[in-house]
Amino acid sequence: MQAKKRYFILLSAGSCLALLFYFGGLQFRASRSHSRREEHSGRNGLHHPSPDHFWPHFPDALRPFVPWDQLENEDSNVHISPRQKRDANSSIYKGKKCRMESCFDFTLCKKNGFKVYVYPQQKGEKIAESYQNILAAIEGSRFYTSDPSQACLFVLSLDTLDRDQLSPQYVHNLRSKVQSLHLWNNGRNHLIFNLYSGTWPDYTEDVGFDIGQAMLAKASISTENFRPNFDVSIPLFSKDHPRTGGERGFLKFNTIPPLRKYMLVFKGKRYLTGIGSDTRNALYHVHNGEDVLLLTTCKHGKDWQKHKDSRCDRDNTEYEKYDYREMLHNATFCLVPRGRRLGSFRFLEALQAACVPVMLSNGWELPFSEVINWNQAAVIGDERLLLQIPSTIRSIHQDKILALRQQTQFLWEAYFSSVEKIVLTTLEIIQDRIFKHISRNSLIWNKHPGGLFVLPQYSSYLGDFPYYYANLGLKPPSKFTAVIHAVTPLVSQSQPVLKLLVAAAKSQYCAQIIVLWNCDKPLPAKHRWPATAVPVIVIEGESKVMSSRFLPYDNIVTDAILSLDEDTVLSTTEVDFAFTVWQSFPERIVGYPARSHFWDNSKERWGYTSKWTNDYSMVLTGAAIYHKYYHYLYTHYLPASLKNMVDQLANCEDILMNFLVSAVTKLPPIKVTQKKQYKETMMGQTSRASRWADPDHFAQRQSCMNTFASWFGYMPLIHSQMRLDPVLFKDQVSILRKKYRDIERL
């Protein structure tokens, strides 16, 4: 019995050893035969998976815990391809680890504030018009300084926009030219603008020189190469893009339903070979010739016929049938596929046309993605799911479509309609990174009026701005400060300024009165001013110039300002009514004296008129209420050139304030009641009366209109026919039943 057991154990062990050697030998032979097959397939250009392919390969579990700054070292990344090794040595990757904390010197900004220096242009260096516009936008901004010792950020005068070696705009020897700049400092605190990089056939993102520690403001940048919190993704714009101003968006009315003739459109080149060809070559699968028009043409380039395929003739014929602008203006969604590079001109064209962009460019870091929430204005598609695009956009509710289209218009007008806005947005984003404690939040960037007009230096609390009361659930201010601009000496107790002071002080909404004494004569004694129930503060203007009436004085404790000229005639009832109207429109100018602008075809310039017509576009600040934030914006946003012009002429400050407020709000001012006497009562015996009657004064205002429009790049004033009167105004009812009964007697 024991012998049988031993025999059985030996037999089992022998069988196991035999099986082990058999399968081990089979695997060894398979490996050797696979090696021979690999050698054979290498010679024949074929590839077959090895048996190892079917076994799972687990990644190194420790790799995610490697510090971020060691991930790209050669020692820890031994499996990269030769091409990746070459790329690692190219200029676009050398500073890939750069962030604001590691490659930017904050001390320069904290010392002198955010100031930008542009290198002087070198003799013989050609600069394309687009780059000239960028430099002009910087030099015309409030950030510009001509003193490099005061600068926090430096911008090259060498044209870096087009780094395609096949382009006639390509600047040669840029590497040595940049390195020779005495302030270069390996690119630290420098900003480089670029629209095109790389060349045929690869179109890489290499700009052709070592950027060192410089930031890139770059179009068509990929998420792979984009350095978060350091680079800025900008849109690709054409050489015809306006330097300032720019056209408004094409959504004139909030049409319901928001659907247009076409659901989805695209018209552009089809690349037969090379990078960018895959997506556009597949668009014909989605085109239906009815409400989805995706048109491509092979007719581009010198040798397109050499590469033409069987679809080219048919595609070219269909392409010629449709006008691109007609499609653009009559489409709900516009496809924005990648071209040779990730970005496309179609992006800005769709935004302006209120056509919701459908992005089909995987890996593109969308413009200003750091601050703009593109999910509110665009549909982010996937190139691999092209066939699902039509069904996806058809499932979007009409309410959502209208919201998307409205947001395209806001973003276009706030950040993209001109080169100046693109440049200023770039600079404001960088400034927010530097001064994080007062940086703008997402609501400011993505809601009207946008980040360019909401200056965080004014306040870090949204409730201090007139645009966010509804969002925060706040009621408009219940009190105002009357600011009276005095320019004539006080010689009589019957002067209009004293009557005006008493009328304003009697208002139930008046918190205080400030008299800005801009007269050359000394301040009157305190007993010369009438006694009032509210405090009266007299401020003597240091420079005694017109713009000083719009300085952001610390003495102004309310958000609302009632701005008054010394010779204005207003009753307490009129003041009360105007303020109650302003509480419903706290972001606008609300007041009495209205004026208008018009285009003079004979002179080809803007004209100014004070004639009584059915519409108006300005409410003069001689009797108007507005938010005190506009004092800060007037002082810190507008250029010194415009304010100096106003001060030299002692005129037009009210027109300039109307330009500013309309540019910010995109809305007209609000006129209250008719107040026809305003025109006549201003003709009293004062120094100002002679100005209104002086023809030179009127000619100056005509000239101011055109100078202001030139700086803004467009005419921001908007005509309106709305006039708000008290309820029961001039109705045939008892005067005792009317709340503002004194207005009717005027």
Side-chain angles (χ1 to χ4, degrees):
M1 191 68 181
Q2 295 294 330
K4 287 183 178 180
K5 283 184 177 181
R6 287 196 296 270
Y7 177 77
F8 179 75
I9 292 172
L10 290 172
L11 182 62
S12 299
S15 300
C16 290
L17 287 171
L19 288 171
L20 183 62
F21 281 115
Y22 174 77
F23 285 111
L26 179 63
Q27 186 174 358
F28 176 71
R29 288 193 299 273
S31 299
R32 292 185 62 185
S33 64
H34 168 67
S35 299
R36 288 194 295 270
R37 283 198 304 271
E38 263 196 332
E39 292 174 4
H40 179 72
S41 67
R43 289 190 294 268
N44 292 277
L46 303 174
H47 175 71
H48 301 278
S50 68
D52 292 344
H53 176 75
F54 300 103
W55 289 89
H57 293 275
F58 297 99
D60 181 3
L62 294 178
R63 182 167 177 77
F65 297 97
V66 177
W68 70 271
D69 58 348
Q70 296 179 15
L71 287 176
E72 292 158 14
N73 291 342
E74 291 188 7
D75 294 337
S76 62
N77 200 359
V78 296
H79 299 295
I80 63 174
S81 67
R83 178 172 180 175
Q84 285 176 311
K85 288 182 179 179
R86 288 197 306 271
D87 286 343
N89 293 322
S90 68
S91 61
I92 192 69
Y93 287 97
K94 279 188 177 179
K96 195 168 184 180
K97 301 172 190 174
C98 272
R99 299 296 183 267
M100 294 294 289
E101 294 77 13
S102 59
C103 295
F104 193 89
D105 185 359
F106 288 84
T107 58
L108 297 176
C109 307
K110 292 178 180 178
K111 180 181 178 182
N112 302 311
F114 186 66
K115 297 295 181 182
V116 184
Y117 174 76
V118 177
Y119 283 84
Q121 296 186 17
Q122 301 179 12
K123 292 182 179 179
E125 290 292 345
K126 293 183 178 180
I127 299 180
E129 184 178 358
S130 294
Y131 198 60
Q132 287 178 343
N133 289 340
I134 288 177
L135 299 183
I138 297 174
E139 292 171 352
S141 73
R142 67 182 187 279
F143 302 121
Y144 175 70
T145 178
S146 58
D147 183 358
S149 66
Q150 298 290 315
C152 165
L153 190 67
F154 300 84
V155 176
L156 305 179
S157 62
L158 297 166
D159 191 343
T160 56
L161 282 191
D162 195 341
R163 302 304 298 153
D164 186 339
Q165 295 179 15
L166 299 180
S167 170
Q169 306 293 341
Y170 181 79
V171 177
H172 295 274
N173 303 319
L174 196 55
R175 186 192 309 267
S176 59
K177 292 175 181 178
V178 169
Q179 294 295 333
S180 65
L181 298 173
H182 68 285
L183 297 172
W184 175 242
N185 191 24
N186 194 31
R188 200 169 181 84
N189 285 52
H190 280 67
L191 177 65
I192 295 172
F193 287 89
N194 176 255
L195 293 182
Y196 307 97
S197 61
T199 189
W200 187 89
D202 295 326
Y203 295 95
T204 66
E205 295 182 40
D206 185 0
V207 295
F209 67 98
D210 183 6
I211 64 172
Q213 296 179 341
M215 291 180 284
L216 278 174
K218 190 177 188 328
S220 305
I221 192 169
S222 65
T223 54
E224 179 184 0
N225 290 326
F226 180 75
R227 296 168 293 181
N229 196 38
F230 196 67
D231 291 333
V232 179
S233 177
I234 63 174
L236 182 66
F237 58 88
S238 70
K239 63 180 181 180
D240 299 323
H241 205 57
R243 185 178 71 84
T244 60
E247 294 184 37
R248 296 196 66 176
F250 296 155
L251 184 62
K252 304 299 183 185
F253 307 101
N254 294 332
T255 52
I256 303 294
L259 300 177
R260 292 175 170 179
K261 179 180 178 181
Y262 305 115
M263 176 60 69
L264 178 66
V265 301
F266 172 75
K267 188 176 182 182
K269 298 175 182 177
R270 178 159 72 88
Y271 304 113
L272 298 172
T273 60
I275 190 170
S277 59
D278 295 343
T279 301
R280 296 195 181 193
N281 282 348
L283 295 183
Y284 77 98
H285 290 295
V286 182
H287 171 80
N288 65 16
E290 297 176 359
D291 65 342
V292 177
L293 301 179
L294 305 182
L295 310 173
T296 58
T297 180
C298 304
K299 285 185 178 180
H300 59 88
K302 297 179 181 178
D303 55 351
W304 70 271
Q305 293 195 5
K306 294 180 181 179
H307 304 284
K308 66 182 294 188
D309 55 25
S310 58
R311 288 199 352 257
C312 277
D313 291 336
R314 183 173 68 253
D315 286 353
N316 292 343
T317 301
E318 188 82 353
Y319 183 90
E320 299 296 336
K321 287 182 181 179
Y322 297 88
D323 177 73
Y324 174 63
R325 295 194 68 82
E326 188 273 335
M327 290 170 55
L328 191 66
H329 295 174
N330 290 281
T332 305
F333 296 91
C334 287
L335 197 68
V336 184
R338 75 165 67 224
R340 293 297 197 192
R341 300 175 178 87
L342 292 172
S344 167
F345 292 129
R346 300 292 183 274
F347 180 71
L348 289 187
E349 292 169 350
L351 279 184
Q352 182 181 12
C355 186
V356 181
V358 179
M359 312 306 302
L360 214 62
S361 184
N362 290 12
W364 181 23
E365 188 73 25
L366 293 182
F368 305 137
S369 54
E370 186 174 332
V371 296
I372 293 178
N373 181 1
W374 283 109
N375 290 322
Q376 297 179 2
V379 176
I380 314 298
D382 191 314
E383 292 173 299
R384 297 165 296 183
L385 303 176
L386 170 64
L387 299 181
Q388 296 183 15
I389 295 294
S391 59
T392 300
I393 61 176
R394 291 183 195 279
S395 67
I396 301 176
H397 194 272
Q398 291 187 7
D399 292 348
K400 177 65 174 177
I401 292 175
L402 180 59
L404 288 168
R405 291 183 62 196
Q406 289 174 330
Q407 190 69 359
T408 63
Q409 301 302 272
F410 160 65
L411 293 176
W412 163 258
E413 294 178 8
Y415 308 120
F416 298 106
S417 62
S418 68
V419 175
E420 180 185 52
K421 289 179 181 177
I422 293 172
V423 171
L424 291 180
T425 304
T426 302
L427 297 180
E428 293 281 8
I429 289 173
I430 296 173
Q431 182 183 217
D432 273 6
R433 295 173 184 167
I434 297 168
F435 303 104
K436 289 184 178 180
H437 61 291
I438 56 169
S439 61
R440 282 153 280 219
N441 61 26
S442 180
L443 175 65
I444 293 176
W445 283 106
N446 291 278
K447 188 171 179 61
H448 182 82
L452 299 189
F453 285 123
V454 178
L455 305 186
Q457 294 82 0
Y458 174 74
S459 176
S460 58
Y461 174 53
L462 292 183
D464 288 335
F465 297 91
Y467 319 108
Y468 308 112
Y469 291 147
N471 295 89
L472 300 176
L474 299 176
K475 292 183 178 179
S478 58
K479 296 286 185 178
F480 67 79
T481 296
V483 179
I484 302 176
H485 186 229
V487 294
T488 56
L490 191 61
V491 295
S492 169
Q493 292 300 112
S494 62
Q495 282 183 228
V497 64
L498 299 180
K499 296 179 180 179
L500 179 63
L501 190 151
V502 171
K506 288 182 178 179
S507 170
Q508 59 181 314
Y509 305 111
C510 184
Q512 61 176 349
I513 295 177
I514 292 178
V515 178
L516 179 60
W517 190 257
N518 265 358
C519 178
D520 294 331
K521 301 294 183 181
L523 278 173
K526 286 186 178 181
H527 71 272
R528 299 288 301 278
W529 301 103
T532 59
V534 298
V536 176
I537 303 170
V538 182
I539 300 176
E540 186 169 12
E542 294 182 7
S543 55
K544 300 190 186 323
V545 293
M546 295 302 293
S547 292
S548 65
R549 71 182 301 177
F550 296 139
L551 287 173
Y553 294 104
D554 293 334
N555 307 78
I556 302 175
V557 296
T558 62
D559 283 344
I561 292 177
L562 171 62
S563 178
L564 298 166
D565 285 341
E566 62 178 8
D567 50 4
T568 298
V569 178
L570 282 181
S571 68
T572 303
T573 302
E574 289 174 305
V575 170
D576 286 349
F577 176 65
F579 182 71
T580 58
V581 171
W582 177 85
Q583 287 179 308
S584 297
F585 305 95
E587 75 281 9
R588 304 205 218 179
I589 298 177
V590 175
Y592 288 93
R595 299 291 184 266
S596 189
H597 75 285
F598 65 95
W599 179 255
D600 190 334
N601 283 317
S602 62
K603 298 180 180 178
E604 294 188 345
R605 58 182 304 199
W606 293 106
Y608 170 89
T609 179
S610 58
K611 292 181 178 179
W612 286 82
T613 58
N614 289 330
D615 62 5
Y616 62 92
S617 58
M618 291 172 278
V619 166
L620 304 186
T621 54
I625 301 174
Y626 50 80
H627 197 281
K628 74 172 181 179
Y629 174 60
Y630 292 122
H631 275 201
Y632 187 88
L633 211 55
Y634 184 100
T635 303
H636 296 285
Y637 178 82
L638 293 175
S641 60
L642 296 188
K643 291 179 287 188
N644 290 339
M645 176 183 180
V646 164
D647 295 338
Q648 290 171 6
L649 296 175
N651 194 357
C652 303
E653 81 287 351
D654 47 1
I655 299 177
L656 183 54
M657 178 60 88
N658 273 270
F659 267 70
L660 176 63
V661 177
S662 291
V664 174
T665 62
K666 305 293 188 296
L667 295 168
I670 302 289
K671 176 171 173 52
V672 289
T673 66
Q674 190 169 355
K675 190 60 181 173
K676 193 166 185 177
Q677 288 97 331
Y678 186 90
K679 189 176 180 182
E680 287 76 18
T681 54
M682 290 178 59
M683 293 300 140
Q685 299 300 316
T686 68
S687 61
R688 187 175 177 86
S690 60
R691 283 177 44 201
W692 289 104
D694 185 358
D696 289 338
H697 176 82
F698 192 81
Q700 287 175 353
R701 295 174 78 78
Q702 298 267 17
S703 178
C704 288
M705 294 277 294
N706 291 277
T707 302
F708 298 162
S710 176
W711 183 84
F712 280 91
Y714 69 109
M715 171 52 73
L717 298 179
I718 301 170
H719 284 102
S720 175
Q721 294 183 348
M722 183 173 73
R723 191 188 81 200
L724 296 185
D725 294 338
V727 177
L728 305 179
F729 177 64
K730 290 194 173 181
D731 280 2
Q732 298 301 313
V733 296
S734 169
I735 194 72
L736 298 177
R737 294 176 58 188
K738 300 179 180 181
K739 183 176 181 180
Y740 300 101
R741 60 191 69 171
D742 291 339
I743 289 181
E744 189 168 341
R745 296 186 180 131
L746 298 174

